[in-house]
Amino acid sequence: MTDSSPPPLAVFDLDNTLADTAHRQHFLEGRPRNWDAFFAAAPDDQPLAEGVTLAVESARECEVVYLTGRPERCRRDTLEWLAAHGLPEGRVYMRSNADRRPARFTKLEILRRLARNREVRVLVDDDELVCDDAERAGFAVVRARWAASSAVLEEAQEREGRT
């Protein structure tokens, strides 16, 4: 890398990678799922130390960007949460409010777009399907397995494309 070259990118998911969603997953247990309440409770997420540490360390060599399945309407809360918990500044990529595709499709699309102009050094994500597809596409992946897994959240991510 020359002095004029932009640094590589380290791409971080939010929910269950940097932010612990356990306290709000109960909103997804009923039918219909209460997505508005689920996202409204996101500002109360506790940070996940392993993910935060990895993001801070990655910022030494990389530009950190955030890639989340959260809808665009959550942008202000998300930016405030990142700043409040000492995470590196970085661009935040969110799905449009009407996008209901599974995260493995939306995230891979954005990763490929980012990789056209920059080296994507790593993707850090808790969603196994996102990680599998990213690895198959040639991206280096760190699987964020430090949060408790949730079958409810996994089903919601894949079937309803909401996070």
Side-chain angles (χ1 to χ4, degrees):
M1 185 168 80
T2 66
D3 290 342
S4 63
S5 299
L9 301 175
V11 181
F12 282 81
D13 173 47
L14 294 176
D15 292 336
N16 284 343
T17 298
L18 298 173
D20 188 352
T21 66
H23 73 100
R24 57 187 168 110
Q25 290 178 16
H26 65 94
F27 292 116
L28 304 181
E29 292 171 358
R31 298 275 189 219
R33 299 182 200 278
N34 190 343
W35 287 104
D36 289 338
F38 177 78
F39 289 120
D44 297 326
D45 291 355
Q46 292 301 304
L48 292 164
E50 297 90 337
V52 171
T53 298
L54 188 55
V56 170
E57 289 174 355
S58 295
R60 293 183 188 136
E61 295 184 10
C62 298
E63 177 184 335
V64 172
V65 299
Y66 302 96
L67 176 56
T68 180
R70 291 180 185 185
E72 185 64 42
R73 71 179 181 273
C74 299
R75 181 170 292 277
R76 176 176 288 158
D77 285 345
T78 300
L79 293 174
E80 289 173 1
W81 187 92
L82 290 166
H85 294 288
L87 282 135
E89 288 187 22
R91 290 172 288 162
V92 178
Y93 294 90
M94 305 178 93
R95 69 172 68 233
S96 73
N97 290 328
D99 190 344
R100 299 288 188 266
R101 293 175 295 157
R104 60 193 172 103
F105 298 126
T106 60
K107 288 184 176 182
L108 193 59
E109 180 180 290
I110 293 169
L111 281 171
R112 285 182 169 136
R113 189 174 351 132
L114 292 170
R116 279 189 229 141
N117 300 314
R118 299 278 288 279
E119 174 195 349
V120 175
R121 172 127 343 136
V122 67
L123 166 69
V124 183
D125 202 300
D126 70 304
D127 185 323
E128 293 292 333
L129 296 174
V130 169
C131 292
D132 291 346
D133 283 1
E135 285 179 335
R136 276 193 289 276
F139 294 99
V141 171
V142 171
R143 293 170 188 261
R145 293 182 173 145
W146 39 81
S149 64
S150 165
V152 170
L153 187 59
E154 290 171 14
E155 178 186 353
Q157 288 172 321
E158 183 61 19
R159 293 182 189 260
E160 295 183 35
R162 297 285 188 115
T163 185

